[in-house]
Amino acid sequence: MDDELLELQRQFEFAQQVKSSVRLSDRNVVELVQKLQELGVIDFDLLHTVTGKEYITQEQLRNEITREISKLGRVSVIDLADTIGVDLYHVEKQAQDVVLNDPGLMLVQGEIISQSYWDSIAEEINERLQECSQIAVAELAGQLQVGSELVQSVLEPRLGTLVKARLEGGQLYTPAYVERVTAMVRGASRGIFVPSNLSALWAPLQQLVQETNGASGVAVENSFFQSIFNRLLKEEEMLGSLRAGTHWTPSAFATAQKECVDSSFSQNSYISYESMQKLGISQAVQFLQSRYPDGTPLAAVFIHSSMIEMLDSATEDAIEQNSWIDSLSVLPSSFTSQDANKMLLLCPSVQSALKAEKALILGESYVLSSGFIKGIYDQIEKEADAFSIQASTATLIHPSSKSSESTESIPANTDKGSKKKKGKSASTKAATVETVPDDEEDARPKSKRNQKKGRDSSSSQKLDSKAGGKKESVKAQESNNIIPPDEWVMKKIVDSVPEFEDDGTENPDSILKHLADHMKPMLINSLKERRKKIFTENADRMRRLIDDLQKKLDESFLNMQLYEKALDLFEDDQSTAVVLHRHLLRTTAATIADTLLHGLDIHNKMKNGTEVEESKTQDLELLDSSERTALAKNLNGSLSKKALALVEALEGKRVDTFMVTFRDLAEESGLVLKKLDKKLERTLLHSYRKDLISQVSTESDPIALLAKVVSLLFIKIHNKALQAPGRAIAAAISHLKEKLDESAYKTLTDYQTATVTLLALMSASSGEEHDCSADRILTKRELLESQMPLLRTLVLGDSQPQQS
């Protein structure tokens, strides 16, 4: 057998040494391999090396990868590609397959690491720990160039075996180091006798550990201390309670805490929550209720039932004596008004008194008997009634006065009789040498109405509907005018109970303020009932007022329209027209404007429940501008605006402007103003003429006669009712020149000249006593009196002027 093997070896060696006559090129070899693959002779995948001169099977590639891993323990996939000489793609693919099939391998960030590698690393770490006692996982990860999570995951199963250490908070500690730190935590925790936050305890321990370890010391995480503390607490090496993981309360403190609470509660029969907070008990109510089931929790204190019995006795005495009591005055200072209120509601005597309406609780802590309150209220109600009447009177006299004025500030003098009529003059001092005085010309006749009596009775209803459209807020404001203010009510309470004065009116929690707030609605209801009664009484008076106002305006406004037509004759003479317009505004227009404003003001007061004396509904004297403005502002809404426009027009220069504003105000008030038609105009002119003829026939004053004669001539010639002041008489006579014959015109002008001369003498001699002046005045008056028959003949005699 051996000989045969030797023979075969010689033949093989010979065959190798013999040079072939036919050689295959690299290309032929490649084509031959491809042909074999096509024929299925080679039925497995072949991989090219990076040089392209060698083939390698995938199984061989996996074997070489496995050999490299077993040799190095940790190898990079990129390094494997370079070592084996195969493209990186194929190496990565086969490496994943190798790792997948071998649980002892892992592929991390392009590296294949075996468990043996980690075992060797664990042994190295254990050796380092014996030297420095602690190592940070982050430091190891940096050295190994892997993630901290990976290092921690491979170390955890090896702790206690290959690595003799404890992993806590990213740090590895040796058992000896852990014992040393445990001793520090145990000692520090046992030294605490008051509730503390453990987070504040770990900071000094960290500093102590670093000082102990010197420069090599690493900062210890709080979680390490906390885990050691939790383990010690579980093993009952420390006694106490831990809340929220960090709030530590030693058992010694809890024992002392309970003893302190028991002592205070047994001595005082109450304990405040503030004192519980100082003792470190945050949930005081739960603590006390669990410890004293028979106690009662209040807003600021926890009380024993004996406190309620004591307060019940005091309040029962006050109610029986028909008096009052401040429960806070018999309770300790730590009790609040809410505490007192809750205790009062638990008192049997207070409960029965409230149910029987024998007592009332005000301001949470004040208990007042019903008899005590009624005695004060009855007295104040009488004075409030007087206050309401007085305030209503003051509002009637002074519409702009504030509702908040006290009774002491309301003026008692309501006499307006001392006022003089605007536009009237008691002497002739104001007359000039060119004019006849206005007061002598104001004696105009009043036309008599020859028309149907009565108007639409719905005017009163219209006015009511207009006033009823005002806003609720305005109604409320007006109703408050007669309601006494809080200060007034408190003053009257102090007058009844002087001891309340020490409580002060500015203190919102004083019994005075609470009692005033309680009585104010009662007083308001009483005053409202009175106002309701006044409303009923005023209803008929309001209807009579509107009817009377309608009658007055019917005649006055028709006369105003009649006088307005005469102004058209002087439109070409602007200076005279201005005088005539202003005269008519200050006389007839002012009268009817004041009549309407007074009527609306009184109607408004009656509608608002204000008592108005019957005398106030009668004709009043002319007002000045400020008084008219005050009346206008006292009206409501659109009535006030249109009344102010009327007052403004009355102070203007044009009668037509006044007429427009007067009509607007009357229409807004629901009153009906009759328009002057031709028939009414003829009737009024006839009556006016007849009245003037009567006055001219009976007039004894030579100065006053001239104005009446001129007015009568204007009716006869122009068929117009002229109202002219003294200084416009000369211009009026000039307008008659073309309508009178020469002798009549001369008679009229001579008489006017003599009248002006007489007035000039009277004005010059005013305040002087000279016989010569008196003689001249007397002579001039006698001359005028001698001409009076001739002047009467001019308008009443057979010699009639030419008609236009």
Side-chain angles (χ1 to χ4, degrees), residues 319-338:
I319 295 173
E320 289 178 354
Q321 295 175 8
N322 210 26
S323 182
W324 68 283
I325 185 174
D326 180 6
S327 57
L328 287 176
S329 63
V330 298
L331 294 175
S333 59
S334 57
F335 282 63
T336 64
S337 57
Q338 293 86 350

Side-chain angles (χ1 to χ4, degrees), residues 493-651:
I493 294 175
V494 170
D495 292 342
S496 300
V497 188
E499 61 184 296
F500 286 168
E501 186 174 7
D502 297 335
D503 222 9
T505 59
E506 301 298 330
N507 182 11
D509 292 328
S510 65
I511 185 175
L512 184 59
K513 184 66 171 64
H514 290 301
L515 189 56
D517 291 342
H518 173 70
M519 290 185 174
K520 187 73 176 291
M522 300 165 62
L523 292 174
I524 292 175
N525 290 335
S526 175
L527 294 175
K528 282 183 178 179
E529 290 296 325
R530 175 179 174 79
R531 283 172 62 87
K532 185 177 179 180
K533 181 180 178 182
I534 295 174
F535 280 140
T536 304
E537 295 174 352
N538 284 349
D540 294 335
R541 294 178 60 193
M542 289 166 63
R543 285 192 291 271
R544 292 197 303 271
L545 171 68
I546 293 301
D547 292 341
D548 183 57
L549 183 61
Q550 181 74 66
K551 292 176 183 178
K552 291 179 181 179
L553 293 182
D554 282 344
E555 182 177 353
S556 301
F557 192 68
L558 285 173
N559 287 337
M560 185 67 189
Q561 295 178 78
L562 184 67
Y563 301 149
E564 182 186 17
K565 287 181 173 292
L567 300 177
D568 297 337
L569 299 173
F570 296 89
E571 287 301 322
D572 296 336
D573 186 359
Q574 286 298 317
S575 59
T576 305
V578 170
V579 174
L580 293 174
H581 275 266
R582 286 184 173 176
H583 174 71
L584 192 55
L585 288 172
R586 294 174 182 176
T587 53
T588 305
T591 300
I592 63 174
D594 289 352
T595 300
L596 179 57
L597 289 174
H598 270 296
L600 293 179
D601 181 60
I602 294 173
H603 183 276
N604 184 48
K605 290 179 174 60
M606 287 182 176
K607 188 170 183 62
N608 292 334
T610 303
E611 286 186 321
V612 182
E613 297 178 4
E614 290 291 340
S615 60
K616 296 298 180 181
T617 62
Q618 304 301 321
D619 291 337
L620 296 177
E621 297 176 346
L622 290 180
L623 305 175
D624 57 27
S625 178
S626 61
E627 291 172 325
R628 293 188 186 105
T629 302
L631 288 177
K633 289 182 178 179
N634 201 37
L635 299 177
N636 299 312
S638 58
L639 274 179
S640 178
K641 294 180 180 178
K642 295 190 176 184
L644 290 172
L646 175 66
V647 174
E648 184 179 356
L650 197 61
E651 299 297 321

